[in-house]
Amino acid sequence: MITAEVCEDAGVWDEMVLDLGGHPLQLWGWGELKSAHNWSVRRVFFRENEVIAGVAQILFRPLPGPFRRLSYVPRGPAYQDGKGSGVYEALVGYVKLNLPGTVLTVEPNSEDAPEVKGFLQSKNTILIPRTLILNLSKNEDELLEAMTKKTRQYIRKSGREGVTLKQVTSREEIAKCLEIYHETAARAGFALHGDGYYYDVHEKLGDASVIFAAYEGEELLSFVWLAVSGKTAFELYGGMNDRGQELRANYALKWHAITTCKRWGIARYDMNGLLNDGVSTFKQGFASHEDMLAGTFDYSLSPLYPVWTVALPKAKAILRKIKSLR
């Protein structure tokens, strides 16, 4: 029998997430970030015979009136091979007892749907399941070969144009990245959090927040911002100014991020979602395949669940707000 146990120790928690190959959105710092911005967090070990079979960082927030609460596990839970169904059953049991509400939503970090009766595929996705994940166990020649010819050309071009690449860490450098991010958001038409949110990302994630930037002289041209765990690098944000576009700086920059993560021993590089837009076309140039993760699954905790998902306009408005993870 698998039992649940709340973890209150950041070091122990992250050690277990890393041991289980967990996603960076299951790291302690991501929970701290979200708990500073309208969520609460509960971190739960699932033990079987004194051995930790799995872990789940559960984010939760109140819903209006009788709906009570939404619980959400981003890119989790993480668990030992063969323990998935038991961990999911224990997760459902824990949430029912300790976080009662309308729905438990999970978005697994794999192509496998939850192996427990009661989970239903949901159209109300938060993280996009269609994505592109590079296998960094391949050598650099194999990774380059899978790219489009144009992508390889632009990687070489931006390298010849005097673009320099480095990791940035200071608040001043991050401020310059955010200036570019505002330009990018205005150009592409997507909404942003306040700047304080992004400074919190870097502070709360600590070493798991990795930002690479491209420069021409002292001018920052583009950046890519990752959350990393032992196994996965996950793109959070990125942007580029007009001069960066001219120099194709984002091509050399992404290749630098990929090869650096490979050198660090990270196994997979997840580009965090593909849509039908120019950014996705750019991402698709870096591989000859796509990946489709399992998607979003809901476990109903209340007779009001159908109302929450279909009929209540306020619920839909809240869902749109929750989706804003940029």
Side-chain angles (χ1 to χ4, degrees):
M1 178 181 177
I2 295 180
T3 59
E5 171 191 329
V6 174
C7 176
E8 303 286 358
D9 186 305
V12 173
W13 177 262
D14 281 348
E15 181 180 355
M16 288 311 308
V17 170
L18 297 176
D19 283 351
L20 292 169
H23 193 276
L25 300 192
Q26 286 291 295
L27 291 173
W28 186 277
W30 189 257
E32 292 299 283
L33 167 71
K34 304 312 284 187
S35 66
H37 295 273
N38 302 316
W39 292 85
S40 298
V41 62
R42 193 75 55 83
R43 302 168 179 100
V44 183
F45 287 153
F46 298 103
R47 292 185 183 272
E48 184 178 41
N49 300 324
E50 301 303 315
V51 175
I52 295 179
V55 300
Q57 177 160 253
I58 308 166
L59 306 178
F60 57 97
R61 64 189 301 167
L63 298 177
F67 296 102
R68 301 183 67 182
R69 183 184 289 111
L70 161 71
S71 295
Y72 170 51
V73 182
R75 291 291 182 259
Y79 47 81
Q80 293 183 17
D81 289 345
K83 300 299 182 181
S85 59
V87 168
Y88 274 112
E89 287 175 356
L91 171 62
V92 169
Y94 178 85
V95 172
K96 282 181 176 179
L97 182 63
N98 297 280
L99 298 171
T102 295
V103 61
L104 165 64
T105 296
V106 299
E107 290 184 321
N109 185 36
S110 71
E111 299 175 359
D112 301 324
E115 301 172 345
V116 172
K117 184 178 179 181
F119 276 100
L120 302 173
Q121 187 100 42
S122 172
K123 295 181 180 179
N124 293 317
T125 58
I126 299 172
L127 296 170
I128 301 169
R130 179 184 170 223
T131 188
L132 198 161
I133 301 173
L134 298 180
N135 177 359
L136 299 188
S137 69
K138 295 182 177 180
N139 63 45
E140 291 187 11
D141 287 341
E142 291 172 320
L143 292 169
L144 287 165
E145 180 63 28
M147 298 179 189
T148 64
K149 181 179 180 181
K150 182 181 78 171
T151 296
R152 292 194 297 270
Q153 290 173 337
Y154 284 158
I155 289 172
R156 291 191 291 268
K157 171 182 167 60
S158 54
R160 292 194 300 266
E161 295 288 346
V163 173
T164 58
L165 308 165
K166 68 175 185 176
Q167 185 175 347
V168 303
T169 57
S170 73
R171 189 176 180 90
E172 293 75 18
E173 292 168 319
I174 295 172
K176 293 179 180 179
C177 292
L178 292 177
E179 289 177 10
I180 288 180
Y181 201 31
H182 282 284
E183 292 178 34
T184 303
R187 187 167 59 240
F190 58 82
L192 298 181
H193 294 285
D195 285 358
Y197 179 88
Y198 301 102
Y199 290 118
D200 283 351
V201 171
H202 196 59
E203 176 190 345
K204 303 295 187 185
L205 280 176
D207 291 342
S209 170
V210 176
I211 308 169
F212 296 109
Y215 287 81
E216 182 183 37
E218 296 299 315
E219 181 187 2
L220 194 148
L221 305 173
S222 63
F223 75 95
V224 61
W225 193 330
L226 311 174
V228 302
S229 62
K231 184 175 180 180
T232 298
F234 184 70
E235 289 187 351
L236 293 174
Y237 322 111
M240 178 171 56
N241 63 17
D242 291 341
R243 180 58 176 162
Q245 286 186 316
E246 292 176 16
L247 297 178
R248 310 291 185 182
N250 54 334
Y251 285 87
L253 178 61
K254 190 180 287 289
W255 178 235
H256 176 72
I258 292 166
T259 54
T260 302
C261 290
K262 174 178 172 59
R263 189 171 67 250
W264 289 347
I266 294 171
R268 57 206 295 271
Y269 187 99
D270 187 342
M271 297 193 190
N272 186 11
L274 295 174
L275 298 169
N276 296 312
D277 61 0
V279 173
S280 297
T281 300
F282 165 67
K283 292 177 180 180
Q284 288 167 315
F286 282 82
S288 57
H289 73 280
E290 293 182 5
D291 297 273
M292 182 62 75
L293 299 180
T296 306
F297 288 83
D298 286 351
Y299 191 98
S300 171
L301 302 171
S302 165
L304 294 175
Y305 170 73
V307 181
W308 157 251
T309 57
V310 178
L312 189 65
K314 288 184 179 179
K316 291 295 185 181
I318 292 170
L319 274 173
R320 286 193 293 272
K321 184 177 180 181
I322 291 170
K323 286 182 182 181
S324 179
L325 295 183
R326 290 182 179 273

